[in-house]
Amino acid sequence: MQNVRLLNTGSLLELSRRLRAAGGENIRQSMHRRIRRAAEPLKSDLQGSIRGLDIRGEGRRPGKRGGPSPTTRPLRASIADAIRISVRTGASPGATVWIDRGRLPADIPMGLVNRIHDGRVRHPVFGNRRRWTQQNASPLWWDRVVRAHQPRINREIERIVDDVRRRLE
């Protein structure tokens, strides 16, 4: 699973330099806001994708006991809440959509998120490290959503760059 970078580096970098030279703080704020707005649907779809991700287990075998989950938060909702957008208009302009490790609960390591992305999660049964189980999920949930949004985002970024160029001329 990779961070998503929404940028046309050369065009945005050149625009960022011209904005600084022109002192166009209002134009820079507008560009920042528009880039964020272009990335918001991607963030929303990523959150919806992980919240609706089907994670299946083997099921309980006859005669096996169950019990309450040792965690207090839903796994998929916690991951969805950790998805963030960062927009920069300075030296390396662009936007990044990523899962913020600092926003994940302590009992959900980033390695678990990566294993869910790979489609296979192996974990102890209710915290018992002597008994393990495997659950399967649809692999590459992040990549599928990003690929679906890529053409729209590229068009939006090109439109934003063209508009800002026109305002600077």
Side-chain angles (χ1 to χ4, degrees):
M1 183 170 62
Q2 298 176 346
N3 290 343
V4 181
R5 294 181 166 263
L6 314 171
L7 46 97
N8 178 352
T9 309
S11 298
L12 286 174
L13 192 55
E14 178 247 330
L15 251 172
S16 181
R17 284 189 201 118
R18 288 176 61 191
L19 278 171
R20 268 196 311 276
E25 190 61 34
N26 189 7
I27 299 172
R28 186 181 306 178
Q29 287 173 350
S30 172
M31 184 172 96
H32 186 276
R33 185 174 48 254
R34 289 178 66 190
I35 291 173
R36 177 173 288 282
R37 227 180 282 141
E40 281 294 335
L42 172 60
K43 176 187 172 190
S44 298
D45 279 0
L46 285 168
Q47 289 173 326
S49 178
I50 188 63
R51 281 189 175 109
L53 188 66
D54 187 25
I55 301 176
R56 286 188 215 115
E58 303 165 349
R60 200 175 327 149
R61 295 188 185 101
K64 298 291 181 181
R65 297 185 319 234
S69 172
T71 61
T72 57
R73 288 166 301 289
L75 172 68
R76 290 170 284 205
S78 297
I79 294 170
D81 292 341
I83 296 175
R84 295 280 176 253
I85 297 174
S86 172
V87 178
R88 296 166 317 282
T89 54
S92 62
T96 305
V97 179
W98 84 103
I99 296 177
D100 186 356
R101 291 179 181 175
R103 300 283 301 186
L104 286 173
D107 59 344
I108 300 177
M110 194 62 190
L112 174 64
V113 176
N114 291 333
R115 288 191 304 272
I116 291 172
H117 181 257
D118 294 339
R120 191 181 79 126
V121 181
R122 189 169 178 271
H123 61 90
V125 177
F126 297 110
N128 180 353
R129 301 198 63 79
R130 288 182 283 151
R131 290 189 53 216
W132 289 74
T133 189
Q134 178 176 312
Q135 291 181 289
N136 299 309
S138 301
L140 306 175
W141 62 272
W142 180 277
D143 296 344
R144 277 195 317 269
V145 174
V146 169
R147 271 194 305 274
H149 279 268
Q150 201 72 43
R152 179 195 58 80
I153 291 172
N154 287 340
R155 285 191 309 271
E156 283 291 317
I157 297 295
E158 286 173 18
R159 186 177 304 126
I160 293 166
V161 168
D162 289 343
D163 289 351
V164 172
R165 270 196 190 121
R166 264 183 270 150
R167 287 177 71 180
L168 286 174
E169 292 173 353

